[in-house]
Amino acid sequence: MIKKYINPEIAKWKSISKRPVVNLKKIEPLVQKIFDKVRSSGDSAVLQFTKNFDNVDLSNIKVKKSVLVNSKNKVSEEFKQALDVAKKNINKFHLSQITKPNIVETSDGVKCWQEKKPIEKIGIYIPGGSAPLFSTILMLAIPAKLAGCKQITLCTPPNKKGEVDPSILYTAMLCGVSDIFKVGGIQAIAAMTFGTETIPKVYKIFGPGNQYVTVAKQIATSYNVAIDLPAGPSELLVMADSTSNPSYIASDLLSQAEHGEDSQVILVTTYKELLNNVEDEINKQMDSLSRKKIILKSIKSSRFIFFENNSKAISFINQYAPEHYMICVKNEKLFIKSIKNAGSVFIGNYTPESAGDYASGTNHTLPTNGFSKQYSGVNIDSFLKAISFQKINKKGIKIIGPAIEVMADKEGLQAHKNSIKIRLNDL
Amino acid sequence: MIKKYINPEIAKWKSISKRPVVNLKKIEPLVQKIFDKVRSSGDSAVLQFTKNFDNVDLSNIKVKKSVLVNSKNKVSEEFKQALDVAKKNINKFHLSQITKPNIVETSDGVKCWQEKKPIEKIGIYIPGGSAPLFSTILMLAIPAKLAGCKQITLCTPPNKKGEVDPSILYTAMLCGVSDIFKVGGIQAIAAMTFGTETIPKVYKIFGPGNQYVTVAKQIATSYNVAIDLPAGPSELLVMADSTSNPSYIASDLLSQAEHGEDSQVILVTTYKELLNNVEDEINKQMDSLSRKKIILKSIKSSRFIFFENNSKAISFINQYAPEHYMICVKNEKLFIKSIKNAGSVFIGNYTPESAGDYASGTNHTLPTNGFSKQYSGVNIDSFLKAISFQKINKKGIKIIGPAIEVMADKEGLQAHKNSIKIRLNDL
C-alpha cells in the first residue's frame, strides 16, 4: 500500500520529501583507516583489503591487454549493436555542450576570455553486484574522451573468480578507458586518491557505489581529489494529469523502484483518479518482475500526492528537487519553464526514464537527495576546467589602473598598488 | 636570499613545486564540535562562539537596514568610482559566460538539451583581518546576481566594536547581497550549513578564509552543502624572458608575496640574468612597502628557476599548475597554447596580477595548491546548475527502444526493459 497525500499543506512538504538516507558519519573512521593503510602500503594494502572484503586472492590487479582484447569475443553482437546506438547518442549530446572561447573587451584595451582544458587524469569507479553495470562506463568514459582527458583509469571489484565481466571490459575498451584494475570499494577510491605502485593517482573520481564508496569519495576530497557528485539513493518524480497513461507511469515508477531498496518514487498529480489507477497498474505489473523483492521494499518510501492545482504541484516539485523528473501533462510548457531544481527531465508519454539511463544521449550520473538544488549532473564540463585569461595594453592599464590603486590601498595592499604605479609611471 | 635552481632535473620538480601547506586533519574534531553545537543550538551557539573567538558580545547579528544604507555616507567618492569601474568589467566578463540551451536531435525523434538555472540560495564568507576585503564581494555577489541567485547571504566577523567596515557594507549593498550577518569563522560556515533562527541555510558556500574556515567548508560538504573551491595559500608563477621588465616582475611577485606568510611566488625564465635582476629589484622595492615583514617570510618559500629551453619551462609550469600565471615573453602564443593547468593567466608586460585581483573583469577566486589540475576558478557556472532535458516521440522510442531493452536486460533490470516494451507494444 503506497502512502497517499491529498493536498498536503506546505508545513508537511519537508517531511514528505524526506529521503531514505542513513547517517554515514559512523563509517568515517573505518574509511579513514583504510585510506591511511593504502597511502602508506600501496599495492600490498590494496591486495590485502581485496582478500578481506572481496574474498579473492589476486596476484595481479591490472587487467591484461589480452583479456581486454578477448572480451569482444565474449559479448553478443546484439549487445555490441546496442552499445553503438547508445554511444552515438551520448557522444552527440555531450559534443554539443562544448563551448568556444569568447573574447570580451571589458574596457578599452582590456581583453578577457575563458578557455576550457581537459582534466588530464580521471578515475572511474564501477561497483560490483549481481549484474555488470557497464552503462555507467558509457556515461563517464565517453564524455571524458570527448573532453580530451589523457588518462582514464577504471576500478571495479573482481568477482569470486577474480575476474571482471566481459561486458564491462568490452564497454571500457570501446570508450577508450586507459587501464582497468580489479579493485573495489574503499581501497579502490583510496588507491586512485594517492596512487600505488600499479594504480595511478587521479585528479578527479567519478562513479556510483555503496555507502562505503560514498564516504570514501567524500574523504578523498580532503586529500585534494575532486569528485563528480555526492551520492544518494536514486529517485524519480512523475508529474502526470489525465492525459497520461497509468500503465506507462507504473512501468517507469517500477523501473526506478527496482534500483535498490532505498530508491524513492513519487507521483504528483492534479488528477485524483490517477492515484489509484497507477497503484493498480503497479500491482499488476510487479508480479512478473524479477526484482519484485527489492521493489516491495523501496515502494515503502514512495509517495503519491494529489494537488488541486498546477501551481502547488510545481512548488512542491521544486522543493523536492528530483533527480529524475518525468512530465506527462497536457500543458507541458508550463511545467518545463517552471523548473528550478531537477537532475534530468523526461517529457511526454514516450520518454521513459530508462531512455536516459541508457541511450537518449543525456547523462545518467545525476544529483540525488535534493542535490539538484546546487549540483549539475555529469556533463562535458565535469571533465574540463575553465582557465581565465586577460591581456591588457598600455591604454587599458591607464584606464583601469587608477581604480585598482584606490581599491588596493583600501585593502591595505600597498605592493598591489605599487605594481600599477610602477607601470603607470612609465606611460 | 631567494632559492634559485638552474635547469633542475625532472626528478626534483615535485619537491620544488611543494606548497607551504599544513596538515589540517587535526583541526577537524574542533570544527566538528562547533558544527554540532550550532546545529543543535542555533543562534545562541553562534553568539557564544562570537563572544569566545571574536571577543564581542552581540545581541543582534544581522546588520540593520539603516546601518547598511548609511554606509554610502561613510565611504569616499573615489572609492565608489573605483568600485563602479570594477563592477562594470566583472559584470561584462561574467555576462559573456552565459550559455544558451542548444537542442540536439541525437537520433531521429530524440531531442536532448541542457538548461542552466540559478542556485537559489548562496552564502558568501568574507574574512576579517587588518583591512576590509571588499573585493571578494565584487567577485562573488556580481556573478551570483547575474546568474539569478535569489538569496545571497553574507557572513563576516565583526570588529572589536561589534561592527562591520562600511566599505564591506557599501560593496555588499551595491552588488545586491540580500542579508549581512556579523558572524565569522567556523560558526559562520556552520550557521549557513544548517540555518539558525536568524541566518538562513544556503545551498552553496563561497569565499576565502583561514585554515579553520577551510576545514569548516570541507566539513560543510558532508552535510550536503556545496562549496566553491578547496582553499590553499595564494601563489603566482611568472614566466619571463629577456623582453620582460625586471622591475615590473618584481612588483608583481611582491604583490603576491604580501598576501600572507604562506604565499608562494615562482619565477621561471629562459634568460639567466633575470634571476638576479629581479631579485635586486625585489630588494630595492621591498623597503618602502608596509607589509615588508610578511613579504620577508613568504619570500622564503619562493623559487627562481632557470630552464635552458621553452619546452622544459612549459612542462614544469603545467605540473606546478599555478593559481596566477603571468606570461611576459616574446613568443607569448607558444606559452598560451601550451597551458594545461592554471587558474588565471596574465599576458604581457602591462597585465599585472593586481588587475585580475580587482578590475580587469576576471574572477579572483581561483584554484590554488595545484588544484587547477581539476578545478575551475569561480565563474558564472559556479552559481548555476545544468539540468538536462529529453523529449522523445513515437518514432524516436521505436528507434532507440530495442537497444535500451538489450542493455537493461544485460544489467538485470527487467522493469527498465518493461518500461520500453509496454510502450513499443502500443506502437
Side-chain angles (χ1 to χ4, degrees):
Chain A
M1 185 70 181
I2 291 166
K3 283 194 203 93
K4 298 195 190 71
Y5 301 83
I6 308 296
N7 268 320
E9 42 183 311
I10 293 185
K12 283 192 184 149
W13 290 6
K14 207 176 161 186
S15 77
I16 298 174
S17 301
K18 212 170 153 17
R19 268 68 162 191
V21 288
V22 287
N23 181 357
L24 301 181
K25 285 270 169 197
K26 52 184 170 232
I27 300 179
E28 285 180 9
L30 169 71
V31 175
Q32 186 64 57
K33 220 169 110 184
I34 293 175
F35 264 61
D36 292 344
K37 196 80 190 144
V38 170
R39 186 182 205 176
S40 61
S41 309
D43 281 346
S44 76
V46 168
L47 289 171
Q48 186 59 50
F49 290 124
T50 303
K51 199 171 166 183
N52 297 355
F53 297 133
D54 300 310
N55 297 309
V56 199
D57 204 351
L58 294 176
S59 56
N60 193 351
I61 48 179
K62 186 169 169 176
V63 175
K64 284 192 195 122
K65 182 92 191 203
S66 59
V67 175
L68 200 56
V69 170
N70 195 34
S71 68
K72 70 172 183 291
N73 305 317
K74 299 199 164 178
V75 294
S76 69
E77 279 309 311
E78 189 188 39
F79 176 69
K80 287 181 197 172
Q81 282 162 16
L83 282 189
D84 287 343
V85 170
K87 184 170 183 247
K88 183 194 71 111
N89 291 354
I90 295 165
N91 205 71
K92 200 165 176 184
F93 182 54
H94 289 79
L95 187 65
S96 78
Q97 296 163 10
I98 293 178
T99 51
K100 280 200 182 130
N102 180 9
I103 300 179
V104 186
E105 198 155 1
T106 54
S107 277
D108 209 358
V110 182
K111 284 185 183 155
C112 300
W113 69 97
Q114 236 188 200
E115 285 181 33
K116 290 180 181 172
K117 302 275 181 173
I119 298 173
E120 286 184 270
K121 303 174 184 187
I122 67 135
I124 296 176
Y125 183 74
I126 299 295
S130 49
L133 299 175
F134 58 86
S135 64
T136 300
I137 305 176
L138 297 171
M139 296 297 173
L140 299 175
I142 292 172
K145 204 72 194 170
L146 262 184
C149 302
K150 284 276 169 296
Q151 180 196 287
I152 304 173
T153 299
L154 190 150
C155 286
T156 191
N159 62 22
K160 305 287 169 218
K161 289 191 219 157
E163 294 167 351
V164 174
D165 192 279
S167 61
I168 297 269
L169 299 178
Y170 178 77
T171 310
M173 193 168 60
L174 183 74
C175 299
V177 167
S178 318
D179 288 302
I180 303 173
F181 299 95
K182 294 181 275 186
V183 184
I186 304 166
Q187 61 273 23
I189 306 300
M192 292 194 279
T193 298
F194 302 118
T196 69
E197 300 90 320
T198 314
I199 303 172
K201 174 184 165 45
V202 305
Y203 301 146
K204 188 167 183 176
I205 298 174
F206 295 79
N210 61 18
Q211 53 189 21
Y212 295 100
V213 171
T214 296
V215 173
K217 282 172 68 187
Q218 160 72 15
I219 288 196
T221 65
S222 73
Y223 293 100
N224 307 346
V225 171
I227 61 169
D228 50 356
L229 280 171
S234 194
E235 65 207 20
L236 166 67
L237 184 148
V238 177
M239 171 69 214
D241 66 11
S242 61
T243 66
S244 69
N245 181 321
S247 72
Y248 293 0
I249 292 175
S251 77
D252 296 319
L253 295 175
L254 284 165
S255 77
Q256 183 57 45
E258 79 174 338
H259 270 299
E261 293 175 3
D262 55 3
S263 294
Q264 192 176 58
V265 298
I266 309 272
L267 172 65
V268 177
T269 185
T270 47
Y271 178 60
K272 211 181 271 179
E273 286 175 43
L274 208 62
L275 300 178
N276 290 324
N277 293 350
V278 173
E279 186 172 22
D280 291 347
E281 274 291 332
I282 282 183
N283 292 329
K284 215 186 290 174
Q285 293 179 27
M286 187 157 42
D287 276 334
S288 65
L289 295 173
S290 52
R291 293 165 77 94
K292 188 179 170 185
K293 259 191 177 169
I294 291 172
I295 292 169
L296 279 171
K297 288 205 176 156
S298 59
I299 224 84
K300 278 186 194 159
S301 36
S302 299
R303 292 104 165 72
F304 279 18
I305 309 161
F306 166 80
F307 283 109
E308 64 196 343
N309 61 48
N310 285 338
S311 144
K312 280 190 185 166
I314 287 167
S315 296
F316 174 83
I317 293 165
N318 278 323
Q319 73 82 38
Y320 182 82
E323 178 194 12
H324 301 99
Y325 175 23
M326 191 173 288
I327 298 174
C328 301
V329 297
K330 197 172 177 204
N331 188 357
E332 59 188 36
K333 275 193 182 156
L334 168 72
F335 281 83
I336 293 170
K337 83 164 191 230
S338 313
I339 294 172
K340 289 181 181 171
N341 308 307
S344 194
V345 183
F346 301 79
I347 304 159
N349 291 329
Y350 296 94
T351 314
E353 191 213 298
S354 56
D357 287 341
Y358 291 105
S360 64
T362 61
N363 209 291
H364 78 196
T365 306
L366 296 166
T368 57
N369 197 22
F371 294 141
S372 65
K373 287 175 178 165
Q374 66 262 57
Y375 289 102
S376 308
V378 166
N379 59 18
I380 195 81
D381 284 332
S382 309
F383 302 90
L384 298 164
K385 72 265 177 174
I387 302 175
S388 48
F389 291 79
Q390 50 244 287
K391 186 171 179 178
I392 306 178
N393 64 21
K394 291 180 187 177
K395 191 175 177 188
I397 199 69
K398 269 191 188 167
I399 294 174
I400 67 169
I404 298 169
E405 288 187 276
V406 170
M407 291 187 281
D409 197 47
K410 188 90 181 170
E411 287 195 345
L413 298 172
Q414 208 195 335
H416 281 65
K417 184 180 178 179
N418 195 50
S419 73
I420 302 297
K421 202 171 133 192
I422 205 165
R423 285 167 167 96
L424 292 185
N425 282 348
D426 282 357
L427 298 177
Chain B
M1 186 69 182
I2 291 167
K3 281 193 204 95
K4 298 195 190 68
Y5 301 84
I6 308 295
N7 269 321
E9 42 183 313
I10 293 185
K12 285 194 181 145
W13 290 5
K14 206 175 163 187
S15 76
I16 297 175
S17 301
K18 211 170 153 18
R19 268 68 162 191
V21 288
V22 287
N23 181 356
L24 300 180
K25 284 269 169 198
K26 51 184 172 235
I27 300 179
E28 285 180 9
L30 169 70
V31 175
Q32 186 65 56
K33 221 170 111 185
I34 293 175
F35 264 62
D36 292 345
K37 195 79 189 146
V38 170
R39 185 182 206 176
S40 62
S41 308
D43 281 345
S44 76
V46 168
L47 289 171
Q48 186 60 50
F49 290 124
T50 303
K51 202 172 164 183
N52 297 354
F53 297 133
D54 299 310
N55 297 308
V56 199
D57 204 351
L58 294 175
S59 56
N60 193 352
I61 48 178
K62 187 170 169 177
V63 175
K64 284 193 195 119
K65 182 91 191 203
S66 58
V67 174
L68 199 56
V69 170
N70 194 36
S71 68
K72 69 172 183 293
N73 305 316
K74 299 199 165 179
V75 294
S76 68
E77 279 310 310
E78 189 188 39
F79 177 69
K80 287 181 198 172
Q81 282 163 17
L83 282 189
D84 287 343
V85 170
K87 185 172 183 243
K88 182 193 70 113
N89 291 354
I90 295 165
N91 206 72
K92 200 164 174 183
F93 183 53
H94 289 79
L95 188 64
S96 78
Q97 296 162 10
I98 294 178
T99 51
K100 281 199 181 132
N102 181 9
I103 299 179
V104 185
E105 198 154 1
T106 54
S107 276
D108 209 357
V110 181
K111 283 185 183 152
C112 300
W113 69 98
Q114 235 188 200
E115 286 181 33
K116 290 180 181 172
K117 302 275 182 174
I119 298 173
E120 286 183 271
K121 302 175 184 186
I122 66 135
I124 296 177
Y125 182 74
I126 300 294
S130 49
L133 298 175
F134 59 85
S135 64
T136 300
I137 305 176
L138 296 171
M139 296 297 172
L140 299 175
I142 292 172
K145 204 72 194 171
L146 261 185
C149 302
K150 284 277 169 294
Q151 179 195 289
I152 305 174
T153 299
L154 191 150
C155 286
T156 190
N159 63 20
K160 304 288 170 219
K161 288 192 219 157
E163 294 167 351
V164 174
D165 192 279
S167 62
I168 297 267
L169 300 179
Y170 178 77
T171 310
M173 195 168 58
L174 183 74
C175 300
V177 167
S178 318
D179 288 301
I180 303 173
F181 299 95
K182 294 181 275 186
V183 184
I186 305 166
Q187 62 271 25
I189 306 301
M192 292 193 279
T193 299
F194 302 119
T196 69
E197 301 90 321
T198 314
I199 303 172
K201 175 185 165 44
V202 304
Y203 301 145
K204 188 167 183 175
I205 298 174
F206 296 79
N210 61 19
Q211 52 189 20
Y212 295 100
V213 171
T214 297
V215 173
K217 282 172 68 186
Q218 160 72 17
I219 289 198
T221 65
S222 72
Y223 292 101
N224 305 348
V225 171
I227 62 169
D228 49 358
L229 280 170
S234 194
E235 64 206 21
L236 166 67
L237 184 148
V238 177
M239 171 68 215
D241 66 10
S242 61
T243 65
S244 67
N245 181 322
S247 72
Y248 293 180
I249 293 174
S251 77
D252 296 319
L253 295 174
L254 284 165
S255 76
Q256 182 57 45
E258 78 173 340
H259 270 298
E261 293 175 3
D262 55 2
S263 293
Q264 192 175 58
V265 299
I266 309 272
L267 172 65
V268 176
T269 184
T270 47
Y271 177 59
K272 211 182 272 178
E273 286 175 43
L274 208 62
L275 301 178
N276 290 323
N277 294 350
V278 173
E279 185 170 24
D280 291 347
E281 274 292 331
I282 283 184
N283 290 329
K284 214 185 290 174
Q285 293 179 26
M286 186 157 42
D287 276 334
S288 65
L289 295 174
S290 52
R291 293 165 77 95
K292 189 179 167 184
K293 259 191 177 170
I294 291 172
I295 292 168
L296 280 171
K297 289 205 174 156
S298 59
I299 223 84
K300 279 185 194 158
S301 37
S302 299
R303 291 105 165 71
F304 279 18
I305 309 161
F306 167 79
F307 283 108
E308 64 196 343
N309 61 48
N310 284 338
S311 142
K312 280 191 185 163
I314 288 167
S315 296
F316 175 82
I317 294 164
N318 278 323
Q319 72 82 38
Y320 182 82
E323 178 195 13
H324 301 100
Y325 175 23
M326 190 172 289
I327 298 173
C328 301
V329 297
K330 196 171 177 206
N331 189 357
E332 59 187 36
K333 276 194 184 157
L334 169 71
F335 281 83
I336 293 170
K337 81 163 192 233
S338 313
I339 294 173
K340 289 182 180 169
N341 307 309
S344 193
V345 183
F346 301 78
I347 304 159
N349 291 329
Y350 296 94
T351 315
E353 190 212 298
S354 55
D357 287 342
Y358 291 106
S360 64
T362 62
N363 209 291
H364 79 196
T365 306
L366 296 166
T368 58
N369 197 22
F371 293 140
S372 65
K373 287 175 180 166
Q374 66 263 57
Y375 289 102
S376 309
V378 166
N379 59 18
I380 196 79
D381 285 332
S382 310
F383 302 91
L384 299 164
K385 71 265 178 176
I387 301 175
S388 48
F389 291 79
Q390 51 245 287
K391 186 171 179 177
I392 306 177
N393 63 23
K394 291 181 186 176
K395 190 173 177 190
I397 198 69
K398 268 191 191 167
I399 294 174
I400 67 169
I404 299 170
E405 289 186 277
V406 170
M407 291 188 281
D409 197 48
K410 189 92 181 169
E411 287 194 345
L413 297 172
Q414 208 195 337
H416 281 65
K417 184 180 179 180
N418 195 50
S419 73
I420 302 296
K421 200 171 134 194
I422 206 167
R423 284 166 168 97
L424 293 185
N425 282 348
D426 282 358
L427 298 176

